Amino acid sequence: VLDDLAGTYLCTDTTGVPVVLRVAHQLSGEDLMRAEADVLTHLHRDPGGDEAAAFIPELLEHFYFTEAGRPEPRPANALAARGELFTLAEVRQAYPHGVGPKDFAWVWRRVLAALAFAHGRGVVHGAVLPPNILINAGHAVQLSGWPYAVCAEAGTTAHVPAVDSRYRDWYPPGVLGREPAHAGVDMALAARTMVFLLGGDPLAGTLPRGVPPAVGAHLKACASSRGALLALRSFDGVIERLWGPRTYHPFTMPGRAEFGYRASE
């Protein structure tokens, strides 16, 4: 997977253990790759038993990678691999009309849990976009793309350092204006990404027929919210009203094995 900053590759280490390797395209990406390493280290330092920590990549090593034929070393981050990963961009390609509302539901719950975990530790992700949300066979969802994250504790003026040019129109105006980052940036981007996953128009916020109005109303509220934890609790109420108690709902990528999550996980 390629983005503006780095390529992401599934590799194995010298012992054969799977590793996710992120390598910057240029040495100029050093600051952002270092920022990703620092943020991931911060988030996994004393997670306090919060299960949502599993939805955030674990840093194994930050180092410099030298490729044959390219003398300039490039910054790289090695991350723990958690099974086969599918970005939401890939999922939408596999489902051109969008996934079903129940498929969206378990993804969204996990994304909200991951954001609540990060926000509770003073971190704004800054790029909650389709390439950075990965469905994982073992843990259902993993939130990647942390080079753009910032610590946004009370009183700070840090802003999101860069935007993904492919999704420039998705960002709130304040990000492009380099205003101080806050949790609402993540909520706005995440809500648009979920509209995209459902097959809707992420800029207009419109959803296809067949998506319950309660889901659309919830996402609209989330787009202007700054509270991932409150949004998670609100969405649990939406799920119960629409479908009753949460149950196992498998998800299948065409040509791939079935995977999903159980509500007890």
Side-chain angles (χ1 to χ4, degrees):
V1 178
L2 300 176
D3 58 35
D4 286 355
L5 173 66
T8 301
Y9 311 92
L10 182 61
C11 310
T12 56
D13 66 12
T14 55
T15 66
V17 175
V19 174
V20 174
L21 182 64
R22 286 179 47 75
V23 182
H25 299 311
Q26 306 291 338
L27 181 60
S28 58
E30 181 176 17
D31 289 348
L32 289 175
M33 295 297 287
R34 179 74 256 180
E36 177 179 64
D38 290 344
V39 164
L40 294 179
T41 299
H42 167 69
L43 290 174
H44 280 282
R45 184 184 296 121
D46 188 24
D50 193 326
E51 294 181 357
F55 308 147
I56 294 172
E58 180 183 357
L59 179 75
L60 300 177
E61 185 179 359
H62 173 74
F63 63 100
Y64 287 81
F65 175 83
T66 302
E67 184 179 3
R70 292 188 61 171
E72 179 185 71
R74 291 174 287 156
N77 291 330
L79 312 174
R82 301 185 183 275
E84 190 169 16
L85 303 170
F86 307 92
T87 71
L88 293 193
E90 293 173 315
V91 172
R92 179 62 192 273
Q93 286 180 339
Y95 290 89
H97 300 294
V99 303
K102 289 185 179 180
D103 296 318
F104 142 82
W106 61 262
V107 176
W108 183 225
R109 288 196 76 258
R110 298 292 177 120
V111 170
L112 287 174
L115 291 177
F117 177 82
H119 296 165
R121 285 154 180 76
V123 174
V124 172
H125 182 278
V128 191
L129 297 164
N132 295 330
I133 300 174
L134 300 102
I135 295 176
N136 181 288
H139 293 269
V141 163
Q142 190 163 94
L143 182 56
S144 183
W146 294 90
Y148 309 105
V150 294
C151 290
E153 298 175 345
T156 64
T157 59
H159 57 80
V160 175
V163 301
D164 187 326
S165 61
R166 298 169 296 178
Y167 297 91
R168 184 178 181 86
D169 292 344
W170 292 35
Y171 287 83
V175 174
L176 302 179
R178 301 175 72 84
E179 296 177 3
H182 53 78
V185 170
D186 287 345
M187 295 301 293
L189 290 175
R192 283 186 166 173
T193 297
M194 292 302 110
V195 171
F196 168 82
L197 180 64
L198 284 162
D201 182 335
L203 296 181
T206 54
L207 291 165
R209 292 182 180 179
V211 176
V215 169
H218 169 80
L219 288 176
K220 183 177 181 180
C222 287
S224 59
S225 167
R226 296 194 180 190
L229 185 58
L230 290 176
L232 177 58
R233 293 170 179 167
S234 169
F235 190 56
D236 281 345
V238 172
I239 290 175
E240 187 164 343
R241 290 193 298 274
L242 289 175
W243 303 301
R246 298 198 311 275
T247 59
Y248 174 68
H249 185 74
F251 179 73
T252 303
M253 281 285 282
R256 308 285 185 164
E258 176 187 280
F259 61 98
Y261 84 107
R262 295 185 182 278
S264 59
E265 290 181 346

